[in-house]
Amino acid sequence: MGLLSDPQCRRALARLVLRLNTPLCVLSYMLGLGWFLALAFPPLAPRTYMSENAMGSTMVEEKFPLGERALAYGRHFAGHKRKAGGMPVAWLEQTLWLLGLEAHRQPFARTLPFPDESRERFMVRGTNVYGILRAPRAASTEALVLSAPCSDGHLNNQAVGLLLALAAYFRSQIYWAKDIIFLVTEHDLLGMEAWLEGYHDVNLTDMRSAGPLGRAGAIQAAISLELSSDVVTSFDVAVEGLNGQLPNLDLLNLFTAFCQKNGLLCTIQGKLQRSDWDSLAAYAHSLQTLLLMVLAQASGQPSGDHGLFLRYRIEALTLRGINSFRQYKYDMATVGKTLEGMFRKLNNLLERLHQSYFFYLLPSLSRFVSIGLYMPALGFLLLVLLLRISLWGCPTLTPWCCSDPHGALLTPQVSPQEPRPGLLVLVPPVLICHAAGVALYLLPVLGQRVATQHFPVAEAEAVVLTLIAIYVAGMALPHSTHRVLSGAGSARSWQVLKLLALLELSLLLGSLALLNFSLGFVLALTMVPAAAAVHPGGPKVLLVALLVLATPAVTLLLGILMQRELLEVPAGLAEGWQLFLSALAQGLLQHHLYGSFLCPVLALGLYPAWLLLWNVLFWK
């Protein structure tokens, strides 16, 4: 601190940072990337542990003698679903009532902003059915939820059967201190969103539902169950919620503890954890799991029905039963014992889960990386932008336009009489770039009818093609900007424009990482090098290629291809392109249906910032 208080030392340090700016930027970027790759290494990924005292022991004796009854319920549900051609609402209501529960139904309807071709639907109508088991030992002030989606065909029939069998068994017990809600939803996430909005008496997404709902207490935790077979070989747990939200780590630790106690195999991201942590193969396996979680969280899409609970501050997980070719298989009795043990532990909670982590990454189910360990990786990447911004503090030492081929700084050839660039010169490019972002956000959905009237395409295709057309048309903006700016400004105006672009990009990425670290890190990993290197006087072809690769659309395409590689189901270019188009449509639907912020962040924030850098590259 004494050295920094000396003006001469500060001046010398500033000159040193400016002189070594490019090497420091390269070093900072490599440190950020290296730090992230080291997160899968055991010393930086400690073992998980239970923080909540009420759930710290699994010494209770779990019981569930209704395994055969669960299978029978599953068969009956499948038969009535085939007969009804969808959700057997009347049969479910009658069954829940015969079990002694308060049975309720919730009709709902939702018109999509454009047709969902992947599921072939536009006007969606459905009905949710649920039953409430009132707590015999307490007032109805708190509740737990066990849900199962009613899927098409034979999928998830056994999950509904197990849910009904658990309801029958729970009804016979007297130790419940919380209400338990047994919920069967229709139309996947749409049904869950309709039920959550109706239960909490809010309307966030223009969902239409009929009649008041029967209510229990404030929901403390929820488990969504997906089973399509009468036996399972393992359980895959999904944690990613809407906009990258994650449940409290204690809920995941509770599930893992009961799986270990009952001998159930459990995986995350489809990966089974390894025991040999000291081998290179184990590190590569953990890194694959970590990367899959980062890509899933960065997408902002819920990985299961549980993902919508998190927006209401309800801790939730989705458990998927897998029936593979593994030797050991488990019946419904073992699965029911595991769920019964979890609900008994959640029944003991005196307050909401809050003592463990809400921000973490998982290289495996037994190890985690907390926010204090993974944030420095992003900090090193953003430091590159800050180092470039610091160049503006000394205009006589600006390497953006005055450097030799080896990166050494040269004295800029700027006339003393040249006027400093004014802010008015930068208004047109900034306004044009952000207007392009607004058009990218609004026009694809608003203009779908106009597009279908003039072109032989369907509504969904019109939305995606309009989105791509506006995105690509932004590359012509430098020409429009220069026509507006003809004869105005000075030779250094592009430096002020780049300064604004770097400030906007650093603020966007830093703020985004606080909400969704994975999304902020992935975008920083691709956009920071291009933002730091771009300037009008460099090798044009190389910088154009670097900036095109850094655009958010290319990042999305590369992320899709990388995810398929990590899942060991690689996709070719043609299949990858189709997945890319589907991801664009689903991203728009997720925003309009559930409030995902990925679409507005990219269209209104990062795309205009990238266009500003594109203007800098083609500045004349």
Side-chain angles (χ1 to χ4, degrees), residues 209-384:
S209 59
L213 292 182
R215 289 182 175 82
I219 302 174
Q220 306 291 302
I223 301 294
S224 180
L225 190 61
E226 296 182 9
L227 287 173
S228 298
S229 175
D230 55 356
V231 293
V232 297
T233 55
S234 63
F235 266 102
D236 188 67
V237 57
V239 295
E240 298 85 10
L242 184 67
N243 296 324
Q245 286 184 278
L246 298 174
N248 190 273
L249 189 58
D250 270 345
L251 186 60
L252 180 64
N253 295 337
L254 180 67
F255 170 70
T256 306
F258 274 103
C259 282
Q260 292 176 350
K261 181 178 181 180
N262 294 320
L264 278 170
L265 291 178
C266 51
T267 63
I268 187 167
Q269 310 298 336
K271 302 288 185 180
L272 184 65
Q273 60 185 358
R274 297 172 61 110
S275 57
D276 53 335
W277 278 89
D278 55 348
S279 66
L280 183 61
Y283 167 76
H285 184 83
S286 299
L287 184 60
Q288 287 180 1
T289 308
L290 183 67
L291 289 174
L292 282 171
M293 180 175 180
V294 167
L295 292 175
Q297 188 182 20
S299 70
Q301 298 185 6
S303 56
D305 284 357
H306 77 284
L308 298 180
F309 281 93
L310 300 176
R311 134 188 327 186
Y312 297 90
R313 187 59 181 83
I314 300 170
E315 310 310 318
L317 294 174
T318 291
L319 308 180
R320 293 191 177 96
I322 308 298
N323 186 10
S324 63
F325 296 101
R326 288 191 176 101
Q327 179 180 0
Y328 299 102
K329 297 184 182 292
Y330 307 94
D331 56 9
M332 289 299 103
T334 305
V335 176
K337 284 175 57 178
T338 302
L339 292 172
E340 192 265 352
M342 288 184 65
F343 272 80
R344 287 184 66 177
K345 278 297 179 182
L346 294 172
N347 183 62
N348 295 335
L349 286 177
L350 301 178
E351 52 189 345
R352 292 181 182 272
L353 291 172
H354 68 282
Q355 295 193 22
S356 192
Y357 294 91
F358 290 94
F359 301 94
Y360 52 86
L361 296 176
L362 296 171
S364 74
L365 278 175
S366 62
R367 294 183 179 271
F368 75 103
V369 180
S370 67
I371 184 174
L373 290 175
Y374 64 65
M375 266 302 184
L378 180 70
F380 281 119
L381 297 184
L382 296 183
L383 181 60
V384 176

Side-chain angles (χ1 to χ4, degrees), residues 1-6 10:
M1 294 299 294
L3 292 176
L4 293 179
S5 62
D6 187 0
R10 290 201 305 269

Side-chain angles (χ1 to χ4, degrees), residues 43-59:
L44 289 179
R47 289 190 174 275
T48 57
Y49 56 92
M50 196 75 71
S51 300
E52 183 64 49
N53 293 329
M55 302 195 314
S57 174
T58 57
M59 296 303 292

Side-chain angles (χ1 to χ4, degrees), residues 53 69 164 206 335 378 465 489 583 587 592:
N53 293 329
R69 191 171 176 181
L164 294 174
D206 295 329
V335 176
L378 180 70
L465 293 178
H592 288 281

Side-chain angles (χ1 to χ4, degrees), residues 104-106 130 194-200 209-215:
H104 303 273
R105 69 168 65 183
Q106 181 206 22
Y130 63 102
W195 188 82
L196 285 170
E197 288 188 4
Y199 191 87
H200 293 92
S209 59
L213 292 182
R215 289 182 175 82

Side-chain angles (χ1 to χ4, degrees), residues 505 509 522-532 550-552 555 606 609-610 613:
L505 185 61
L509 293 177
V522 169
L523 291 170
L525 200 63
T526 57
M527 297 188 72
V528 163
T551 182
T555 302
L606 291 168
W610 180 85
L613 297 171

